[in-house]
Amino acid sequence: MSAAVPVTRVSQSRLTEALRETSEFGATFSDHMLVADWEAGSWKQPQIVPFGPISFSPALTPFHYGQAIFEGFKAHRTANRGLALFRPRENFARMNRSATRLAMPEIPESLFGVDDTLLVRPANRFRLIVMTSPVGPYFAQPIRLLAEERFVRAFPGGTGDSKAAGNYAGGLLAARLAQEKGFHNVLWLDGIERRYVEESGVMNVFFVLDGKAITPPLSGTILPGVTRDSALTLLREMGIPAEERQISIDEILSAHAAGKLTEAFGAGTAAIVAPIACIRYRDRDLQFPAVSDSSVAARLRSRLVAIQTGREADTQNWLLPV
């Protein structure tokens, strides 16, 4: 591919400063997007074009067989009025792992197959689309979760540790049913025993038990979140022991009843660090105290955002100025 990317510009931007600052998460997109196609074993010349609908064949591989992945990361305004991407190299690596798992060519961002055939096989052509969007907070308040026993997010040997589009489609019904009961999302349990905690809706999950921050291990069914990895690093720097181990819903119930489980929070690109206010399991509600400035979740979020925005030293080389 040539280094010079052809650009087709819009005549006038539809984005206002108000839209940039107040848009709901994922509701507004910038004026342009990058598009590149892969076929015959190589990527073709990418182009930057006006954001808008794209025509596809109704026999498209992703429509029928779900061969599609995506990846997302954020750029933050920094203290010196610049912009910096947060850990894009890790997102790049994870996207490539997802591509390999779904028999797709490795590229730096989201892939869509564009083969117009109904043969059950990997597509021969793919399309990369890069979109940007101003985003606000994903959750405006501490979240409420319903422990899910009927539906399962992932099984060993599946695609639970990939950013496959189908992973999210399979979780939509469980989320909607939980929301109809007044919860924000579900707390996923493992697919074999329905006993061990895996993820928190669309985030990784942490529990603060006996002063230690515990998160389920990356065993192939849990997405290896970049924010999760960042949180583990920062917690240890902050002097808070952090463990990656299995934790069962029974252990959570017992620890909460004994007063040993003091906090729970989710961690993800969209939400950053999101405190959990309540977890319901069967007929029991586990309530957590309101977040204070001294809580682990609040301190972790403050530290992480300070690094992302350049207000604190980036000792891990996580930022990429743009």
Side-chain angles (χ1 to χ4, degrees):
M1 292 185 294
S2 169
V5 178
V7 179
T8 302
R9 298 183 182 278
V10 297
S11 58
Q12 183 175 355
S13 175
R14 56 190 167 76
L15 288 178
T16 63
E17 189 62 23
L19 276 176
R20 292 188 183 95
E21 295 298 328
T22 62
S23 291
E24 295 181 4
F25 192 96
T28 303
F29 295 92
S30 60
D31 296 315
H32 300 88
M33 61 186 183
L34 182 145
V35 178
D37 290 322
W38 184 95
E39 59 181 312
S42 65
W43 286 100
K44 308 307 177 185
Q45 174 69 278
Q47 301 181 62
I48 294 177
V49 299
F51 179 88
I54 296 177
S55 297
F56 287 117
S57 164
L60 202 68
T61 305
F63 294 164
H64 301 276
Y65 308 127
Q67 194 185 21
I69 63 174
F70 73 100
E71 189 61 65
F73 54 91
K74 287 182 177 179
H76 298 266
R77 288 178 175 169
T78 57
N80 63 0
R81 299 186 178 181
L83 289 174
L85 302 177
F86 183 71
R87 303 194 71 180
R89 301 173 187 88
E90 283 68 28
N91 291 93
F92 172 93
R94 185 174 66 182
M95 203 264 343
N96 279 340
R97 292 195 300 269
S98 298
T100 298
R101 180 62 181 84
L102 271 72
M104 306 169 85
E106 292 186 359
I107 56 169
E109 293 289 355
S110 308
L111 285 173
F112 293 85
V114 292
D115 253 14
D116 51 354
T117 175
L118 293 180
L119 291 173
V120 183
R121 59 165 174 78
N124 289 325
R125 294 183 289 149
F126 297 90
R127 176 162 293 173
L128 159 68
I129 301 175
V130 181
M131 306 176 294
T132 59
S133 170
V135 296
Y138 196 81
F139 293 110
Q141 58 189 21
I143 56 178
R144 294 170 49 83
L145 299 174
L146 176 65
E148 178 57 58
E149 293 187 273
R150 177 184 175 190
F151 299 107
V152 174
R153 178 186 174 275
F155 291 92
T159 61
D161 60 349
S162 303
K163 290 283 283 186
N167 290 353
Y168 297 82
L172 295 177
L173 177 58
R176 187 180 72 186
L177 294 176
Q179 289 158 6
E180 289 174 355
K181 296 177 180 179
F183 297 88
H184 292 95
N185 214 307
V186 299
L187 182 70
W188 293 113
L189 304 179
D190 74 282
I192 305 300
E193 300 183 54
R194 308 293 203 278
R195 177 186 175 194
Y196 293 101
V197 172
E198 295 216 321
E199 293 193 12
S200 162
V202 294
M203 301 179 291
N204 295 116
V205 63
F206 286 78
F207 299 94
V208 181
L209 197 162
D210 277 336
K212 297 178 180 178
I214 299 168
T215 191
L218 301 179
S219 56
T221 57
I222 295 174
L223 188 71
V226 175
T227 305
R228 172 189 182 277
D229 183 73
S230 305
L232 287 169
T233 298
L234 294 180
L235 286 166
R236 290 161 181 156
E237 285 186 358
M238 294 160 61
I240 299 170
E243 296 183 0
E244 298 175 76
R245 67 167 177 84
Q246 284 189 319
I247 183 166
S248 69
I249 190 69
D250 292 327
E251 180 182 358
I252 289 170
L253 292 171
S254 298
H256 186 271
K260 296 180 179 180
L261 179 60
T262 54
E263 290 183 55
F265 56 89
T269 297
I272 308 178
V273 175
I276 294 172
C278 174
I279 296 173
R280 176 175 294 176
Y281 178 68
R282 298 181 179 175
D283 59 349
R284 292 181 61 179
D285 280 353
L286 279 63
Q287 304 285 349
F288 294 92
V291 178
S292 67
D293 291 342
S294 62
S295 67
V296 172
R299 291 163 56 200
L300 175 61
R301 180 185 175 90
S302 177
R303 181 91 184 274
L304 185 54
V305 171
I307 294 171
Q308 290 174 332
T309 56
R311 293 184 287 106
E312 185 171 317
D314 176 25
T315 59
Q316 301 289 335
N317 195 29
W318 285 343
L319 299 186
L320 178 63
V322 294

